[in-house]
Amino acid sequence: MHGLVHWLANTYASKGITTNAVAPAIIEDTKMLPKGSEELAKRIPVGRLGTPDEIAETVLWMVKTGYLNNKVIGVDGGMYAY
């Protein structure tokens, strides 16, 4: 995904089109994980699973921020260090 975002961002930025992505980790109450898991939550530094609303808020922030370009935003509770 990173390579695609990088290519699209560099190709279309001059036309006023920004390209970004969201990389969520473990999100509760989704088809990926229908029920929360305390064992998984313990492995995440913030101590809980993410919520669909937190992902949606991140996407809204990215859409509203016109200067943001060529970024993959990890919404993972600190689970992955980049």
Side-chain angles (χ1 to χ4, degrees):
M1 176 170 51
H2 287 77
L4 178 62
V5 168
H6 180 70
W7 181 81
L8 289 169
N10 286 314
T11 300
Y12 293 104
S14 64
K15 296 175 169 72
I17 300 169
T18 59
T19 305
N20 302 289
V22 176
I26 303 171
I27 307 302
E28 66 185 9
D29 298 328
T30 64
K31 289 184 180 186
M32 180 177 94
L33 186 67
K35 295 181 181 179
S37 170
E38 290 184 29
E39 285 300 313
L40 287 173
K42 289 178 185 177
R43 296 174 58 196
I44 301 172
V46 299
R48 65 177 180 80
L49 303 178
T51 66
D53 285 344
E54 289 171 320
I55 302 305
E57 287 294 324
T58 303
V59 171
L60 288 173
W61 168 74
M62 293 172 82
V63 170
K64 291 178 183 179
T65 308
Y67 198 61
L68 186 68
N69 190 43
N70 198 19
K71 299 294 178 227
V72 177
I73 305 297
V75 184
D76 57 18
M79 188 171 177
Y80 299 106
Y82 294 102

Coordinates of all heavy atoms in Angstrom, one line a residue:
M1 N 0.8 -1.2 0.0 CA 0.0 0.0 0.0 C 0.9 1.3 0.0 O 0.5 2.2 -0.7 CB -0.9 0.0 1.2 CG -1.7 1.2 1.3 SD -3.0 1.2 2.6 CE -2.3 0.7 4.0
H2 N 2.0 1.2 0.7 CA 2.8 2.4 0.8 C 3.3 2.8 -0.6 O 3.4 4.0 -0.9 CB 4.0 2.1 1.8 CG 3.6 2.1 3.2 ND1 3.0 1.0 3.8 CD2 3.8 3.0 4.2 CE1 2.8 1.3 5.1 NE2 3.2 2.5 5.3
G3 N 3.8 1.8 -1.3 CA 4.3 2.1 -2.7 C 3.2 2.8 -3.6 O 3.5 3.7 -4.3
L4 N 2.0 2.3 -3.5 CA 0.9 2.8 -4.3 C 0.6 4.2 -3.9 O 0.4 5.1 -4.8 CB -0.3 1.9 -4.2 CG -1.5 2.4 -5.0 CD1 -1.3 2.5 -6.5 CD2 -2.7 1.5 -4.7
V5 N 0.5 4.5 -2.6 CA 0.2 5.8 -2.1 C 1.3 6.8 -2.6 O 1.1 7.9 -3.0 CB 0.1 5.8 -0.6 CG1 0.1 7.3 0.0 CG2 -1.2 5.1 -0.2
H6 N 2.6 6.3 -2.4 CA 3.7 7.2 -2.8 C 3.7 7.5 -4.3 O 3.8 8.7 -4.7 CB 5.0 6.5 -2.5 CG 6.3 7.2 -2.9 ND1 6.6 8.3 -2.2 CD2 7.2 7.0 -3.8 CE1 7.7 8.8 -2.7 NE2 8.1 8.0 -3.7
W7 N 3.4 6.5 -5.2 CA 3.3 6.8 -6.6 C 2.1 7.7 -6.9 O 2.3 8.7 -7.7 CB 3.2 5.5 -7.4 CG 3.1 5.7 -8.8 CD1 4.2 5.9 -9.7 CD2 1.9 5.8 -9.6 NE1 3.7 6.1 -11.0 CE2 2.3 6.0 -11.0 CE3 0.6 5.7 -9.4 CZ2 1.4 6.1 -12.0 CZ3 -0.3 5.8 -10.4 CH2 0.1 6.0 -11.7
L8 N 1.0 7.4 -6.4 CA -0.2 8.3 -6.7 C 0.0 9.7 -6.2 O -0.4 10.6 -6.9 CB -1.5 7.7 -6.1 CG -2.0 6.4 -6.7 CD1 -3.1 5.8 -5.8 CD2 -2.5 6.6 -8.1
A9 N 0.5 9.8 -5.0 CA 0.7 11.2 -4.4 C 1.7 12.0 -5.3 O 1.4 13.2 -5.6 CB 1.3 11.1 -3.0
N10 N 2.8 11.4 -5.7 CA 3.7 12.1 -6.6 C 3.2 12.4 -8.0 O 3.5 13.4 -8.6 CB 5.0 11.4 -6.6 CG 5.8 11.5 -5.3 OD1 5.9 12.6 -4.8 ND2 6.3 10.4 -4.8
T11 N 2.4 11.5 -8.5 CA 1.8 11.7 -9.8 C 0.7 12.7 -9.9 O 0.7 13.5 -10.9 CB 1.3 10.3 -10.3 OG1 2.3 9.3 -10.3 CG2 0.7 10.4 -11.7
Y12 N -0.1 12.8 -8.9 CA -1.3 13.6 -9.0 C -1.3 14.9 -8.1 O -2.2 15.7 -8.2 CB -2.6 12.8 -8.7 CG -2.8 11.8 -9.7 CD1 -2.5 10.4 -9.5 CD2 -3.3 12.1 -11.0 CE1 -2.7 9.5 -10.5 CE2 -3.5 11.2 -12.0 CZ -3.2 9.9 -11.7 OH -3.4 8.9 -12.7
A13 N -0.3 15.1 -7.3 CA -0.3 16.3 -6.4 C -0.3 17.6 -7.2 O -0.9 18.5 -6.9 CB 0.9 16.2 -5.5
S14 N 0.4 17.6 -8.3 CA 0.5 18.8 -9.2 C -0.9 19.2 -9.8 O -1.1 20.3 -10.2 CB 1.6 18.7 -10.3 OG 1.2 17.6 -11.1
K15 N -1.8 18.2 -9.8 CA -3.1 18.5 -10.3 C -4.1 18.8 -9.2 O -5.3 18.9 -9.4 CB -3.6 17.2 -11.1 CG -2.8 16.9 -12.3 CD -3.2 15.6 -12.9 CE -2.6 15.4 -14.3 NZ -1.3 15.0 -14.5
G16 N -3.6 18.9 -8.0 CA -4.4 19.3 -6.9 C -5.1 18.1 -6.2 O -6.0 18.3 -5.4
I17 N -4.6 16.9 -6.5 CA -5.2 15.7 -5.9 C -4.2 15.1 -4.9 O -3.1 14.8 -5.3 CB -5.5 14.6 -7.0 CG1 -6.5 15.2 -8.0 CG2 -6.0 13.4 -6.4 CD1 -6.7 14.4 -9.2
T18 N -4.7 15.0 -3.7 CA -3.8 14.5 -2.6 C -4.1 13.0 -2.5 O -5.3 12.6 -2.7 CB -3.9 15.2 -1.3 OG1 -5.3 15.1 -0.9 CG2 -3.5 16.6 -1.4
T19 N -3.2 12.2 -2.0 CA -3.3 10.8 -1.9 C -2.8 10.4 -0.5 O -1.6 10.6 -0.2 CB -2.6 10.0 -3.0 OG1 -3.1 10.4 -4.2 CG2 -2.9 8.5 -2.8
N20 N -3.6 9.7 0.3 CA -3.2 9.2 1.6 C -3.9 7.9 1.9 O -4.8 7.5 1.1 CB -3.6 10.2 2.7 CG -3.0 11.6 2.4 OD1 -1.8 11.7 2.6 ND2 -3.7 12.6 2.0
A21 N -3.6 7.3 2.9 CA -4.3 6.0 3.3 C -4.3 5.9 4.8 O -3.5 6.5 5.5 CB -3.5 4.8 2.7
V22 N -5.3 5.0 5.3 CA -5.4 4.7 6.7 C -5.0 3.2 6.8 O -5.5 2.4 6.1 CB -6.8 5.0 7.2 CG1 -7.0 4.5 8.6 CG2 -7.2 6.4 7.0
A23 N -4.2 2.9 7.8 CA -3.8 1.6 8.1 C -4.2 1.2 9.5 O -3.5 1.4 10.5 CB -2.3 1.4 7.9
P24 N -5.5 0.8 9.6 CA -6.0 0.4 11.0 C -5.4 -0.9 11.4 O -5.1 -1.8 10.6 CB -7.5 0.3 10.8 CG -7.7 0.0 9.4 CD -6.5 0.6 8.6
A25 N -5.3 -1.1 12.8 CA -4.8 -2.3 13.3 C -6.1 -3.1 13.7 O -7.0 -3.3 12.8 CB -4.0 -2.1 14.5
I26 N -6.2 -3.5 14.9 CA -7.3 -4.4 15.3 C -8.5 -3.5 15.8 O -8.4 -2.8 16.8 CB -6.9 -5.4 16.4 CG1 -5.7 -6.2 15.9 CG2 -8.0 -6.3 16.8 CD1 -5.0 -7.0 17.0
I27 N -9.6 -3.6 15.0 CA -10.8 -2.8 15.3 C -11.9 -3.6 15.8 O -12.3 -4.6 15.1 CB -11.2 -2.0 14.0 CG1 -10.0 -1.2 13.5 CG2 -12.3 -1.0 14.3 CD1 -9.3 -0.2 14.4
E28 N -12.5 -3.3 16.9 CA -13.6 -4.1 17.4 C -14.9 -3.9 16.6 O -15.0 -2.9 15.9 CB -13.8 -3.7 18.9 CG -14.3 -2.3 19.1 CD -14.5 -1.9 20.6 OE1 -14.0 -2.7 21.4 OE2 -15.0 -0.8 20.8
D29 N -15.8 -4.9 16.8 CA -17.1 -4.8 16.2 C -17.1 -4.7 14.7 O -17.9 -3.9 14.1 CB -18.0 -3.7 16.8 CG -18.2 -3.9 18.3 OD1 -18.2 -5.1 18.7 OD2 -18.3 -2.9 19.1
T30 N -16.2 -5.3 14.0 CA -16.1 -5.3 12.6 C -16.1 -6.8 12.1 O -16.0 -7.7 12.9 CB -14.8 -4.7 12.0 OG1 -13.7 -5.4 12.5 CG2 -14.7 -3.2 12.5
K31 N -16.3 -7.0 10.8 CA -16.3 -8.3 10.3 C -14.9 -9.0 10.5 O -14.8 -10.2 10.6 CB -16.7 -8.4 8.8 CG -18.1 -8.1 8.6 CD -18.6 -8.2 7.2 CE -20.0 -7.9 7.1 NZ -20.5 -8.1 5.7
M32 N -13.9 -8.2 10.6 CA -12.5 -8.7 10.8 C -12.5 -9.3 12.2 O -11.8 -10.3 12.4 CB -11.5 -7.6 10.7 CG -10.1 -8.0 10.9 SD -8.9 -6.7 10.7 CE -8.8 -6.1 12.4
L33 N -13.1 -8.7 13.2 CA -13.1 -9.1 14.6 C -14.5 -8.9 15.2 O -14.7 -7.8 15.8 CB -12.0 -8.4 15.3 CG -11.8 -8.8 16.7 CD1 -11.2 -10.2 16.8 CD2 -10.8 -7.9 17.4
P34 N -15.5 -9.8 14.9 CA -16.8 -9.5 15.4 C -17.0 -9.2 16.8 O -17.8 -8.4 17.2 CB -17.6 -10.8 15.0 CG -16.7 -11.5 14.0 CD -15.3 -11.0 14.3
K35 N -16.2 -9.9 17.7 CA -16.3 -9.6 19.1 C -15.0 -9.2 19.7 O -13.9 -9.7 19.2 CB -16.8 -10.9 19.8 CG -18.2 -11.3 19.4 CD -18.6 -12.5 20.2 CE -20.0 -12.9 19.8 NZ -20.5 -14.1 20.4
G36 N -15.0 -8.3 20.6 CA -13.8 -7.9 21.3 C -13.0 -9.0 21.9 O -13.6 -10.0 22.3
S37 N -11.7 -8.9 22.0 CA -10.9 -9.9 22.6 C -9.9 -9.2 23.6 O -9.1 -8.4 23.3 CB -10.0 -10.6 21.5 OG -9.1 -11.4 22.1
E38 N -10.1 -9.6 24.9 CA -9.3 -9.1 25.9 C -7.8 -9.5 25.7 O -6.9 -8.7 26.0 CB -9.8 -9.6 27.3 CG -11.1 -8.9 27.7 CD -11.5 -9.3 29.1 OE1 -10.7 -9.6 29.9 OE2 -12.7 -9.4 29.3
E39 N -7.5 -10.7 25.2 CA -6.2 -11.1 25.0 C -5.5 -10.2 23.9 O -4.3 -9.8 24.1 CB -6.1 -12.5 24.5 CG -6.3 -13.5 25.6 CD -5.3 -13.4 26.8 OE1 -4.1 -13.3 26.5 OE2 -5.7 -13.4 27.9
L40 N -6.2 -9.9 22.9 CA -5.6 -9.0 21.9 C -5.4 -7.6 22.4 O -4.4 -6.9 22.2 CB -6.5 -8.9 20.6 CG -6.5 -10.2 19.7 CD1 -7.6 -10.0 18.7 CD2 -5.1 -10.4 19.1
A41 N -6.4 -7.1 23.2 CA -6.3 -5.8 23.8 C -5.1 -5.6 24.7 O -4.5 -4.6 24.7 CB -7.6 -5.4 24.5
K42 N -4.7 -6.7 25.3 CA -3.5 -6.6 26.2 C -2.2 -6.4 25.5 O -1.3 -5.9 26.0 CB -3.4 -7.9 27.0 CG -4.5 -8.1 28.1 CD -4.3 -9.4 28.8 CE -5.5 -9.6 29.8 NZ -5.4 -10.9 30.4
R43 N -2.2 -6.8 24.2 CA -1.0 -6.6 23.4 C -0.8 -5.2 22.8 O 0.2 -4.9 22.2 CB -1.0 -7.7 22.3 CG -1.0 -9.1 22.8 CD -1.2 -10.1 21.8 NE -0.1 -10.0 20.7 CZ -0.2 -10.6 19.6 NH1 -1.2 -11.3 19.2 NH2 0.8 -10.5 18.7
I44 N -1.9 -4.4 22.9 CA -1.8 -3.1 22.3 C -1.5 -2.1 23.5 O -2.1 -2.1 24.5 CB -3.2 -2.7 21.7 CG1 -3.6 -3.7 20.6 CG2 -3.2 -1.3 21.2 CD1 -5.0 -3.6 20.1
P45 N -0.5 -1.2 23.2 CA 0.0 -0.3 24.3 C -1.1 0.5 24.9 O -1.1 0.8 26.1 CB 1.0 0.6 23.5 CG 1.5 -0.3 22.5 CD 0.4 -1.1 22.0
V46 N -2.2 1.0 24.2 CA -3.2 1.7 24.9 C -4.2 0.8 25.7 O -5.1 1.3 26.3 CB -4.0 2.6 23.9 CG1 -3.1 3.6 23.2 CG2 -4.8 1.8 22.8
G47 N -4.1 -0.5 25.5 CA -4.8 -1.4 26.3 C -6.2 -1.7 25.9 O -7.0 -2.2 26.6
R48 N -6.5 -1.4 24.7 CA -7.9 -1.7 24.1 C -7.8 -1.8 22.6 O -6.9 -1.4 22.0 CB -8.9 -0.6 24.6 CG -8.6 0.8 24.0 CD -9.6 1.8 24.4 NE -9.3 3.1 23.8 CZ -9.6 3.5 22.5 NH1 -10.2 2.6 21.7 NH2 -9.3 4.7 22.1
L49 N -8.9 -2.3 22.0 CA -9.0 -2.3 20.6 C -9.6 -1.0 20.1 O -10.2 -0.2 20.9 CB -10.0 -3.4 20.2 CG -9.7 -4.8 20.7 CD1 -10.8 -5.8 20.2 CD2 -8.3 -5.3 20.2
G50 N -9.3 -0.7 18.8 CA -9.8 0.5 18.2 C -11.3 0.4 17.9 O -11.9 -0.7 18.0
T51 N -11.9 1.5 17.6 CA -13.3 1.5 17.2 C -13.5 2.0 15.8 O -12.7 2.7 15.3 CB -14.2 2.4 18.2 OG1 -13.8 3.8 17.9 CG2 -14.0 2.1 19.6
P52 N -14.6 1.5 15.2 CA -14.9 2.0 13.8 C -15.0 3.6 13.8 O -14.6 4.2 12.8 CB -16.3 1.4 13.5 CG -16.3 0.1 14.3 CD -15.6 0.5 15.6
D53 N -15.6 4.2 14.8 CA -15.7 5.6 14.9 C -14.3 6.3 14.8 O -14.1 7.4 14.2 CB -16.4 6.1 16.1 CG -17.9 5.9 15.9 OD1 -18.4 5.6 14.8 OD2 -18.6 5.9 17.0
E54 N -13.3 5.7 15.5 CA -12.0 6.3 15.5 C -11.4 6.2 14.1 O -10.7 7.2 13.7 CB -11.1 5.6 16.5 CG -11.5 5.9 17.9 CD -10.8 5.0 18.9 OE1 -10.6 3.8 18.7 OE2 -10.4 5.6 20.0
I55 N -11.6 5.2 13.3 CA -11.1 5.1 12.0 C -11.9 6.1 11.1 O -11.2 6.9 10.3 CB -11.4 3.7 11.4 CG1 -10.6 2.7 12.2 CG2 -10.9 3.6 9.9 CD1 -9.2 2.9 12.4
A56 N -13.2 6.3 11.3 CA -13.9 7.2 10.5 C -13.5 8.7 10.8 O -13.3 9.5 9.9 CB -15.4 7.1 10.8
E57 N -13.2 9.0 12.1 CA -12.7 10.3 12.4 C -11.3 10.6 11.8 O -11.1 11.7 11.3 CB -12.6 10.5 13.9 CG -13.9 10.6 14.6 CD -14.6 11.9 14.3 OE1 -14.0 12.9 14.1 OE2 -15.9 11.8 14.2
T58 N -10.5 9.6 11.7 CA -9.2 9.7 11.0 C -9.4 10.0 9.5 O -8.7 10.9 9.0 CB -8.3 8.5 11.2 OG1 -8.2 8.2 12.6 CG2 -7.0 8.6 10.6
V59 N -10.3 9.3 8.9 CA -10.5 9.6 7.5 C -11.1 11.0 7.3 O -10.6 11.7 6.4 CB -11.5 8.5 6.9 CG1 -11.9 8.9 5.5 CG2 -10.8 7.1 6.9
L60 N -12.0 11.4 8.1 CA -12.5 12.8 8.0 C -11.4 13.8 8.2 O -11.4 14.8 7.4 CB -13.6 13.0 9.0 CG -15.0 12.3 8.7 CD1 -15.9 12.4 9.9 CD2 -15.6 12.8 7.5
W61 N -10.6 13.6 9.1 CA -9.5 14.5 9.3 C -8.6 14.6 8.1 O -8.2 15.7 7.6 CB -8.6 14.1 10.5 CG -7.3 14.8 10.6 CD1 -7.1 16.1 11.0 CD2 -6.0 14.3 10.3 NE1 -5.8 16.4 11.0 CE2 -5.1 15.3 10.6 CE3 -5.6 13.0 9.9 CZ2 -3.7 15.1 10.4 CZ3 -4.2 12.9 9.7 CH2 -3.3 13.9 9.9
M62 N -8.3 13.4 7.5 CA -7.4 13.4 6.3 C -8.1 14.1 5.1 O -7.4 14.8 4.4 CB -7.1 11.9 5.9 CG -6.2 11.3 6.9 SD -6.1 9.5 6.6 CE -4.8 9.5 5.4
V63 N -9.4 13.9 5.0 CA -10.1 14.6 3.9 C -10.2 16.1 4.0 O -10.0 16.8 3.1 CB -11.5 14.0 3.8 CG1 -12.4 14.8 2.8 CG2 -11.5 12.5 3.3
K64 N -10.3 16.5 5.3 CA -10.4 18.0 5.6 C -9.0 18.7 5.5 O -9.0 19.9 5.5 CB -11.0 18.2 7.0 CG -12.4 17.8 7.0 CD -12.9 18.0 8.5 CE -14.4 17.6 8.6 NZ -14.8 17.7 10.0
T65 N -7.9 17.9 5.5 CA -6.6 18.5 5.6 C -6.0 18.5 4.2 O -5.4 17.5 3.8 CB -5.7 17.8 6.6 OG1 -6.4 17.7 7.8 CG2 -4.4 18.5 6.8
G66 N -6.2 19.5 3.4 CA -5.8 19.6 2.0 C -4.3 19.6 1.8 O -3.8 19.3 0.7
Y67 N -3.5 19.9 2.9 CA -2.0 19.9 2.7 C -1.4 18.6 3.0 O -0.2 18.4 2.8 CB -1.5 21.0 3.6 CG -0.1 21.4 3.3 CD1 0.2 22.0 2.1 CD2 1.0 21.3 4.2 CE1 1.5 22.4 1.7 CE2 2.3 21.6 3.9 CZ 2.5 22.2 2.6 OH 3.8 22.6 2.3
L68 N -2.2 17.6 3.5 CA -1.7 16.3 3.8 C -1.6 15.5 2.5 O -2.6 15.4 1.8 CB -2.6 15.6 4.8 CG -2.2 14.2 5.3 CD1 -1.0 14.4 6.2 CD2 -3.4 13.6 6.0
N69 N -0.4 15.0 2.2 CA -0.2 14.2 1.0 C 0.9 13.2 1.2 O 1.8 13.4 1.9 CB 0.2 15.2 -0.1 CG 0.2 14.5 -1.5 OD1 -0.7 13.7 -1.8 ND2 1.2 14.7 -2.3
N70 N 0.7 12.0 0.6 CA 1.7 11.0 0.6 C 1.9 10.4 2.0 O 3.1 10.1 2.4 CB 3.0 11.5 0.0 CG 3.9 10.4 -0.4 OD1 3.5 9.3 -0.6 ND2 5.2 10.7 -0.6
K71 N 0.8 10.2 2.7 CA 1.0 9.7 4.1 C 0.1 8.4 4.3 O -1.0 8.4 3.8 CB 0.5 10.7 5.1 CG 1.4 11.9 5.2 CD 2.8 11.6 5.6 CE 3.6 12.9 5.5 NZ 4.9 12.7 4.9
V72 N 0.6 7.5 5.0 CA -0.2 6.3 5.4 C -0.2 6.5 6.9 O 0.8 6.4 7.6 CB 0.5 5.0 5.0 CG1 -0.3 3.8 5.6 CG2 0.6 4.9 3.5
I73 N -1.4 6.7 7.5 CA -1.6 7.0 8.9 C -2.0 5.6 9.6 O -3.0 5.0 9.3 CB -2.7 8.0 9.1 CG1 -2.4 9.3 8.3 CG2 -2.9 8.3 10.6 CD1 -1.2 10.0 8.7
G74 N -1.2 5.2 10.5 CA -1.5 4.0 11.3 C -2.3 4.4 12.4 O -2.0 5.2 13.3
V75 N -3.5 3.7 12.5 CA -4.4 3.9 13.6 C -4.4 2.6 14.4 O -5.2 1.7 14.1 CB -5.8 4.3 13.2 CG1 -6.7 4.6 14.4 CG2 -5.8 5.5 12.3
D76 N -3.4 2.4 15.3 CA -3.2 1.1 15.8 C -2.9 1.1 17.3 O -2.5 0.1 17.9 CB -1.9 0.5 15.1 CG -0.7 1.4 15.2 OD1 -0.7 2.3 16.1 OD2 0.2 1.2 14.4
G77 N -3.2 2.2 18.0 CA -3.0 2.2 19.5 C -1.6 2.1 19.9 O -1.3 1.7 21.0
G78 N -0.7 2.3 19.0 CA 0.8 2.2 19.3 C 1.3 0.8 19.1 O 2.4 0.5 19.5
M79 N 0.5 -0.1 18.5 CA 0.8 -1.5 18.3 C 2.1 -1.7 17.4 O 2.9 -2.5 17.7 CB -0.4 -2.3 17.7 CG -0.2 -3.8 17.7 SD -1.7 -4.5 17.3 CE -1.2 -6.2 17.2
Y80 N 2.2 -0.9 16.4 CA 3.3 -1.0 15.4 C 4.1 0.3 15.4 O 3.6 1.3 15.3 CB 2.7 -1.2 14.0 CG 1.9 -2.5 13.9 CD1 0.5 -2.4 13.7 CD2 2.5 -3.7 13.9 CE1 -0.2 -3.6 13.6 CE2 1.8 -4.9 13.8 CZ 0.4 -4.8 13.7 OH -0.3 -6.0 13.6
A81 N 5.4 0.1 15.6 CA 6.3 1.2 15.6 C 6.9 1.3 14.1 O 7.5 0.3 13.7 CB 7.4 1.1 16.6
Y82 N 6.7 2.4 13.5 CA 7.2 2.5 12.1 C 8.6 3.2 12.1 O 8.9 4.0 12.8 CB 6.2 3.4 11.3 CG 4.9 2.7 11.1 CD1 3.8 3.0 11.8 CD2 4.8 1.6 10.2 CE1 2.6 2.4 11.7 CE2 3.6 1.0 10.0 CZ 2.5 1.3 10.8 OH 1.3 0.7 10.6

